[in-house]
Amino acid sequence: DVKVTQSSRYLVKRTGEKVFLECVQDMDHENMFWYRQDPGLGLRLIYFSYDVKMKEKGDIPEGYSVSREKKERFSLILESASTNQTSMYLCASSNIAAVGGTQYFGPGTRLLVL
Amino acid sequence: DAKTTQPPSMDCAEGRAANLPCNHSTISGNEYVYWYRQIHSQGPQYIIHGLKNNETNEMASLIITEDRKSSTLILPHATLRDTAVYYCIVRVGGSQGNLIFGKGTKLSVKP
């Protein structure tokens, strides 16, 4: 089974802190994604990556950056956390060769910025 | 915007079949129908997908109408652990982009 893990289930940070969210997948998938999920807004794509060292902006990249130095790891960085970045963050991966590119999600990280 | 329409909520008795409908009247010929679900406070979970033919796996069955404008996800013997929000999504096969989740259907399985 595909396994996508995220470094933390819950995080509490202060405004202005630099925050790192880590995601690791064990299925050698090419594609990795970072979403945030907020009540009433559904899932929104922040960034995604097709391959190592490659990244593409999603729908809401402002205030975020990403890093993909190894195929299995995709990091989301909040350079200076703000209260409006309080959210559930979800990482996903997919195999480009699979029909439709089914995405497999991690358990999520619930971030609270005070 | 999501290209699908789903009822906001449904109830189902434990042990009975849960039939979740989805309308996708503007679906294109190269778009697949995907179903995901999200149990409270967890990441979305892939269930099943199909193009034209009906599909079945260990979790569920997917019935797609002949005109492909609607589909039904069937959980044959619902359990309390199937209580979740179920999302129906259409997207082009092989596409690399993100999934667009609508509001989904909140399925409540009751004892």
Side-chain angles (χ1 to χ4, degrees), chain A residues 9 31 33 35 37 40 43 45 48 50 59 88 90 96 98-108 110, chain B residues 32 34 36 38 40-46 49 87 91-103:
Chain A
R9 289 302 307 274
N31 300 336
F33 306 81
Y35 294 86
Q37 184 174 30
L43 271 73
L45 182 67
F48 59 103
Y50 293 144
D59 299 321
M88 169 76 124
L90 292 158
I96 193 171
V99 172
T102 301
Q103 294 188 17
Y104 297 90
F105 286 82
R110 196 169 289 280
Chain B
Y32 286 72
Y34 279 80
Y36 284 75
Q38 189 170 22
H40 183 61
S41 294
Q42 297 183 23
Q45 177 188 22
Y46 164 78
H49 73 279
Y87 297 97
R91 68 193 297 255
V92 176
S95 61
Q96 295 177 313
N98 60 312
L99 296 169
I100 299 177
F101 285 72
K103 296 186 177 178

Side-chain angles (χ1 to χ4, degrees), chain A residues 10-56:
Chain A
Y10 301 94
L11 269 181
V12 180
K13 296 291 181 181
R14 297 204 174 275
T15 301
E17 279 192 79
K18 191 169 186 176
V19 182
F20 292 88
L21 302 182
E22 301 281 333
C23 176
V24 178
Q25 50 94 4
D26 66 357
M27 284 301 291
D28 201 38
H29 283 174
E30 290 83 5
N31 300 336
M32 296 188 74
F33 306 81
W34 274 107
Y35 294 86
R36 64 178 281 178
Q37 184 174 30
D38 302 287
L41 296 177
L43 271 73
R44 293 180 291 168
L45 182 67
I46 305 171
Y47 268 96
F48 59 103
S49 169
Y50 293 144
D51 202 349
V52 176
K53 297 192 185 296
M54 295 184 70
K55 60 184 180 183
E56 296 285 342

Side-chain angles (χ1 to χ4, degrees), chain B residues 1 7 11 16 21 33 38 53 77 86 88 104:
Chain B
D1 289 344
D11 290 341
R16 304 297 292 269
V33 179
Q38 189 170 22
N53 300 322
H77 305 287
Y86 286 77
C88 170

Side-chain angles (χ1 to χ4, degrees), chain B:
Chain B
D1 289 344
K3 299 168 65 175
T4 61
T5 304
Q6 298 177 254
S9 63
M10 292 182 64
D11 290 341
C12 178
E14 189 178 18
R16 304 297 292 269
N19 297 287
L20 293 96
C22 179
N23 287 326
H24 31 79
S25 58
T26 60
I27 192 170
S28 301
N30 61 348
E31 287 183 313
Y32 286 72
V33 179
Y34 279 80
W35 284 84
Y36 284 75
R37 73 180 182 183
Q38 189 170 22
I39 297 170
H40 183 61
S41 294
Q42 297 183 23
Q45 177 188 22
Y46 164 78
I47 301 173
I48 199 168
H49 73 279
L51 182 63
K52 295 181 183 178
N53 300 322
N54 298 336
E55 302 288 343
T56 296
N57 63 20
E58 64 278 3
M59 289 182 69
S61 295
L62 174 61
I63 308 298
I64 303 174
T65 58
E66 194 169 341
D67 63 7
R68 303 211 320 124
K69 292 186 177 181
S70 65
S71 60
T72 301
L73 178 75
I74 301 171
L75 308 177
H77 305 287
T79 71
L80 299 179
R81 287 179 293 182
D82 292 321
T83 292
V85 179
Y86 286 77
Y87 297 97
C88 170
I89 300 165
V90 297
R91 68 193 297 255
V92 176
S95 61
Q96 295 177 313
N98 60 312
L99 296 169
I100 299 177
F101 285 72
K103 296 186 177 178
T105 296
K106 175 71 165 56
L107 175 69
S108 298
V109 180
K110 300 182 183 298

